Amino acid sequence: MTDKKLKIVVWNEAVHEARNKPDTMAEMYPDGIHGAIASGLRGFYPDAEITTATLADPEHGLHEETLAATDVLLWWGHIAHHEVSDEVVERVQRHVLGGMGLVVLHSGHFSKIFTRLLGTTCSLKWRNDGERELVWTVKPSHPIAAGVESPILIPKQEMYGELFDIPEPDDLIFISSFEGGEVFRSGVTFSRGKGRIFYFSPGDQEYPVYHQPQIQRVIANGVGWVAQPEQFRDAPAVTNPARGWFLTT
């Protein structure tokens, strides 16, 4: 992980919190899912500037000035993907292409920003019976897997299963298995433009998964990997250089 002070924004639609559904939400996540994720990150990045934003905030808390100063954006959404402004999605996409890191969590696979960046449906199989999940590391050499137990045991979790309709990932780091026999590519990376993307599936509004230390470690490792604080923020562009653009000596 980088020692440089990072600017991290944890975004959550926060609709489950507002409705207190499930009715254990306030007990499991008294500061919201975004609060739990941010709290976990502070243990790994005590000097970072870590803030949160939600769907209900003006411009969803993702103003141009905010994104321009953000090294890593984490995204959690579930039942309100359609309520996210297309203008904000385009803004986030532009910053990712320019080098801002993006960590997409759990049902964020159906978010507008993730499907737009990946260009596929990002559909999958699912079943929510509170099954045990085992998260297996299949690329231990990757920085996101550093210090991570294999497998991570999650006592109760929503099942996500293949086929997961995503492009071939740059890195397949984690595969999950479930009691019902399904498997899932639960930790994958992508590059888009100058930006890095990490998708990690464990973590649901019905289970206290984001309080598990090993899950917090994976997310923190993901933040460290996607972060490129020295990257000049501009998206790759078409150029038309004149002949003789190079100099000979």
Side-chain angles (χ1 to χ4, degrees):
M1 299 180 189
T2 180
D3 292 329
K4 181 179 176 62
K5 181 176 180 177
L6 295 177
K7 293 186 178 180
I8 303 166
V9 175
V10 181
W11 191 89
N12 175 21
E13 66 181 36
V15 173
H16 287 285
E17 291 87 341
R19 299 175 182 175
N20 197 33
K21 291 186 177 181
D23 57 13
T24 55
M25 173 61 72
E27 179 182 352
M28 282 191 304
Y29 295 111
D31 298 318
I33 290 174
H34 50 300
I37 294 170
S39 177
L41 287 173
R42 290 187 182 102
F44 291 88
Y45 299 100
D47 297 325
E49 181 182 322
I50 302 174
T51 59
T52 62
T54 68
L55 180 69
D57 295 333
E59 297 187 52
H60 311 324
L62 301 175
H63 306 84
E64 175 64 30
E65 297 77 10
T66 298
L67 292 174
T70 298
D71 296 306
V72 179
L73 174 65
L74 295 94
W75 193 281
W76 198 99
H78 181 215
I79 58 175
H81 301 310
H82 63 287
E83 296 184 30
V84 177
S85 161
D86 289 338
E87 181 181 354
V88 171
V89 173
E90 291 170 4
R91 189 182 301 159
V92 173
Q93 179 186 27
R94 174 165 47 81
H95 279 278
V96 172
L97 296 177
M100 182 181 73
L102 179 66
V103 177
V104 177
L105 300 170
H106 192 52
S107 44
H109 70 90
F110 264 155
S111 64
K112 287 182 179 180
I113 184 59
F114 195 60
T115 55
R116 176 174 295 195
L117 285 165
L118 268 58
T120 57
T121 69
C122 299
S123 297
L124 43 74
K125 289 185 174 69
W126 68 276
R127 179 179 59 251
N128 197 356
D129 290 340
E131 298 179 47
R132 182 203 66 195
E133 177 179 0
L134 296 175
V135 184
W136 303 89
T137 300
V138 294
K139 192 169 185 179
S141 61
H142 198 284
I144 294 178
V148 175
E149 297 173 359
S150 184
I152 301 172
L153 169 62
I154 302 175
K156 290 185 178 182
Q157 169 65 0
E158 181 179 27
M159 185 282 291
Y160 275 7
E162 297 290 340
L163 175 68
F164 187 18
D165 182 27
I166 55 175
E168 189 70 23
D170 295 342
D171 301 291
L172 174 58
I173 306 169
F174 303 109
I175 292 177
S176 288
S177 59
F178 295 85
E179 291 180 59
E182 294 87 359
V183 296
F184 187 71
R185 288 169 290 170
S186 53
V188 292
T189 72
F190 301 92
S191 297
R192 291 294 184 271
K194 296 180 179 180
R196 294 176 174 181
I197 303 167
F198 174 51
Y199 172 76
F200 189 55
S201 65
D204 183 84
Q205 72 279 357
E206 296 195 19
Y207 312 104
V209 177
Y210 291 118
H211 295 300
Q212 290 192 220
Q214 284 292 302
I215 297 300
Q216 293 175 347
R217 177 175 290 277
V218 172
I219 294 172
N221 286 354
V223 165
W225 183 78
V226 303
Q228 301 180 88
E230 305 298 339
Q231 179 73 265
F232 180 74
R233 185 72 57 82
D234 66 337
V238 174
T239 60
N240 181 220
R243 289 176 61 88
W245 57 269
F246 57 91
L247 299 175
T248 58
T249 56

